[in-house]
């Protein structure tokens, strides 16, 4: 159910882009015209965005973007807020839309690693194993401070300081994951896209949680998850109902 006047969307798509500068200028001009705020990152490997504004303005911007055939598959995740959670609009060209510092890991140029629907993950966690009877382990690919706000019950947390630390952490812990079904997860799915590719390259049985924690909340209500989901805007953390988590008295959720 809608709660609030501001529509918040988050979305990413790995797709090869050769016109990043021109695309930046066009998307910035349209978002500015519509009064939207948030962040749009563009790279040769794709697009990653977090935008908020009146629903009609957000939808108009998304519709215009989808009119470009390269972005027709965009499926934004939605939540609502009473106020605008972003202070300004930023549209930037970056080397990567999610930084891993591994140039050979290019989801836009390779088959996608297997994606696990949220409902299937909830069922696996409930029954204690996957459909082949293998142990399921949840691997959090987020930074340590995000994990502290909330995570899947019993998830592996390597206390990452930044996502580019993930490949080295995996190299140090690979043997602990052997013989298990590994489900990598993050906020909205983008980090899992690259993490699952690296896991597969190491010969592990790996899935990515399709749509990340936010899609899991939306489709399942959040069973087997404790706490909130940290988000990089003024809301700080979202509960499984996708509403902002109220800070504890005298404390801060983040």
């Amino acid at each position: 159910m809608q709660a609030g006047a501001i529509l918040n969307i988050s979305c990413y798509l790995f797709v090869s882009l050769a016109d990043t500068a021109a695309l930046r200028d066009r998307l910035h001009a349209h978002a500015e015209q519509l009064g939207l705020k948030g962040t749009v990152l563009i790279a040769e490997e794709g697009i990653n965005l977090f935008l908020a504004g009146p629903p009609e303005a957000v939808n108009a911007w998304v519709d215009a973007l989808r009119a470009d055939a390269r972005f027709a598959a965009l499926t934004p995740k939605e939540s609502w807020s009473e106020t605008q959670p972003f202070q300004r609009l930023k549209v930037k060209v970056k080397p990567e839309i999610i930084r891993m510092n591994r140039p050979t890991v290019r989801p836009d140029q390779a088959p996608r690693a297997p994606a696990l629907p949220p409902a299937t993950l909830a069922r696996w966690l409930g029954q204690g194993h996957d459909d082949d009877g293998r142990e399921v382990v949840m691997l959090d690919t987020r930074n340590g401070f995000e994990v502290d706000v909330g995570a899947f019950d019993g998830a592996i947390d390597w206390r990452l300081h930044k996502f580019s630390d993930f490949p080295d952490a995996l190299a140090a812990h690979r043997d602990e994951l052997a013989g298990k079904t590994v489900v990598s997860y993050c906020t909205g799915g983008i980090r899992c896209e690259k993490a699952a590719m690296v896991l597969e390259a190491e010969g592990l049985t790996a899935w990515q949680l399709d749509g990340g924690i936010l899609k899991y909340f939306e489709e399942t209500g959040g069973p087997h998850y404790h706490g909130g989901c940290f988000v990089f805007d003024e809301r700080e953390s979202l509960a499984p109902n996708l509403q902002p988590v109220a800070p504890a008295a005298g404390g801060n959720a983040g």
Side-chain angles (χ1 to χ4, degrees):
M1 180 180 296
Q2 177 179 338
I6 301 297
L7 174 60
N8 302 268
I9 62 168
S10 63
C11 188
Y12 72 90
L13 185 67
F14 283 105
V15 57
S16 297
L17 303 174
D19 57 340
T20 54
L23 184 62
R24 173 198 59 204
D25 293 345
R26 174 164 61 88
L27 297 185
H28 184 278
H30 193 204
E32 192 172 48
Q33 176 189 0
L34 292 169
L36 303 181
K37 294 182 180 180
T39 299
V40 180
L41 302 180
I42 301 167
E44 291 182 358
E45 66 180 7
I47 188 169
N48 186 21
L49 62 93
F50 307 85
L51 286 175
E56 62 276 8
V58 172
N59 291 330
W61 190 88
V62 171
D63 288 344
L65 182 57
R66 280 181 175 153
D68 184 328
R70 297 173 296 179
F71 302 110
L74 280 173
T75 53
K77 290 175 284 293
E78 298 184 352
S79 60
W80 297 85
S81 59
E82 295 290 346
T83 58
Q84 170 62 257
F86 299 102
Q87 295 185 352
R88 56 195 180 104
L89 173 67
K90 296 183 289 185
V91 183
K92 297 182 176 182
V93 174
K94 295 281 190 177
E96 300 176 80
I97 56 173
I98 184 66
R99 183 178 176 185
M100 187 183 244
N101 293 336
R102 292 295 191 277
T104 58
V105 181
R106 286 286 299 264
D108 62 307
Q109 298 177 353
R112 190 184 189 207
L116 189 66
T120 302
L121 175 62
R123 179 169 58 79
W124 283 5
L125 294 177
Q127 68 192 22
H129 54 79
D130 69 8
D131 291 336
D132 294 322
R134 292 164 58 101
E135 178 185 355
V136 175
V137 293
M138 300 300 296
L139 177 58
D140 205 314
T141 66
R142 300 173 299 158
N143 299 333
F145 73 89
E146 298 173 75
V147 180
D148 291 340
V149 173
F152 279 94
D153 299 339
I156 296 170
D157 169 22
W158 288 333
R159 294 280 90 186
L160 302 176
H161 294 291
K162 53 187 183 301
F163 183 56
S164 56
D165 293 337
F166 180 83
D168 289 341
L170 173 58
H173 295 277
R174 183 206 175 281
D175 291 347
E176 301 167 18
L177 304 177
K180 301 174 182 177
T181 294
V182 183
V183 180
S184 64
Y185 74 92
C186 57
T187 306
I190 188 170
R191 284 175 275 194
C192 309
E193 289 274 0
K194 290 189 173 183
M197 289 181 66
V198 177
L199 288 162
E200 280 196 317
E202 288 290 333
L204 297 166
T205 301
W207 296 80
Q208 56 183 314
L209 174 55
D210 201 17
I213 298 166
L214 296 180
K215 180 61 70 173
Y216 185 81
F217 281 179
E218 178 185 338
E219 295 190 358
T220 73
H224 313 289
Y225 188 99
H226 59 270
C229 178
F230 182 88
V231 289
F232 290 89
D233 60 53
E234 292 183 356
R235 295 174 297 172
E236 294 190 0
S237 175
L238 299 183
N241 64 0
L242 296 176
Q243 294 303 304
V245 175
N252 188 304

